[in-house]
Amino acid sequence: MQTSRRSFLKIGVAGAFTLAAGGALYRLAHPPGSPNRFALEGPAQTVLNAVIPVMLGPVLPAEPAARAAALTAASQRVRDAVLGLPLATQKEVQDLFGLLALGPARRLLAGVAGGWEQADARQVTAFLQSWRTHSLQTLQVAYHALHDLIIGAWYADPSTWDSIGYPGPLKELLA
């Protein structure tokens, strides 16, 4: 199928208006003000619950109870990592999760039609891959922020080092 220049421009303008409308709706629901501390609850938690298992993949335990405990711990570590960031950065991360939780933005930007609760690993993988390689640098930065928060928080905990064969920092010998 060949796309004409006119239809390409129409699609681009429609997409820009849709993103602007989604941003306006988000701002109405979450008015800007002084930055608040990051709160990992509700929509942010739901997004994180869908993304963490895909990002961590095979390093998570296979046994269901251990897997659930590892996912809870990973989510808590991400929260703690975000709380260690400056307030303005915490607000940006909160906005990212809020945008991903907003229905129209979730559909248009992430390609997830239903809620994050119903998203399967294939949908989440496609979303992450599309943001990782997207032509818009903003989406690439958002992908890398999610990636670094999740992977960094996971491997910052010594209990996860065995999964990659890392023995931990070298111990200096005192003579």
Side-chain angles (χ1 to χ4, degrees):
M1 177 179 164
Q2 194 169 9
T3 304
S4 71
R5 181 175 177 227
R6 180 175 296 233
S7 59
F8 180 75
L9 290 174
K10 285 180 184 178
I11 291 169
V13 169
F17 280 126
T18 304
L19 286 176
L25 287 172
Y26 177 74
R27 279 291 166 218
L28 286 174
H30 306 287
S34 62
N36 296 324
R37 292 183 63 78
F38 178 74
L40 187 58
E41 55 194 23
Q45 185 66 57
T46 305
V47 172
L48 205 51
N49 288 345
V51 173
I52 285 176
V54 172
M55 283 232 180
L56 294 179
V59 300
L60 290 169
E63 194 271 316
R67 184 177 181 86
L71 290 171
T72 300
S75 178
Q76 191 65 29
R77 286 186 207 121
V78 169
R79 184 192 71 82
D80 293 345
V82 174
L83 288 173
L85 299 171
L87 280 178
T89 306
Q90 290 181 36
K91 174 79 170 112
E92 289 175 359
V93 173
Q94 190 80 50
D95 287 348
L96 172 61
F97 282 117
L99 185 66
L100 287 172
L102 193 64
R106 182 190 65 244
R107 285 182 193 93
L108 291 171
L109 294 175
V112 176
W116 287 104
E117 301 89 355
Q118 292 86 29
D120 62 17
R122 183 186 48 74
Q123 288 175 305
V124 177
T125 300
F127 146 65
L128 292 170
Q129 180 64 13
S130 74
W131 275 30
R132 188 178 74 80
T133 60
H134 204 280
S135 60
L136 290 177
Q137 188 175 10
T138 303
L139 296 182
Q140 288 181 19
V141 169
Y143 164 81
H144 287 291
L146 284 172
H147 178 271
D148 292 353
L149 279 171
I150 293 169
I151 301 297
W154 177 260
Y155 287 115
D157 187 335
S159 70
T160 63
W161 295 347
D162 283 343
S163 67
I164 58 170
Y166 178 59
L170 294 175
K171 310 285 189 266
E172 291 189 38
L173 298 175
L174 296 175

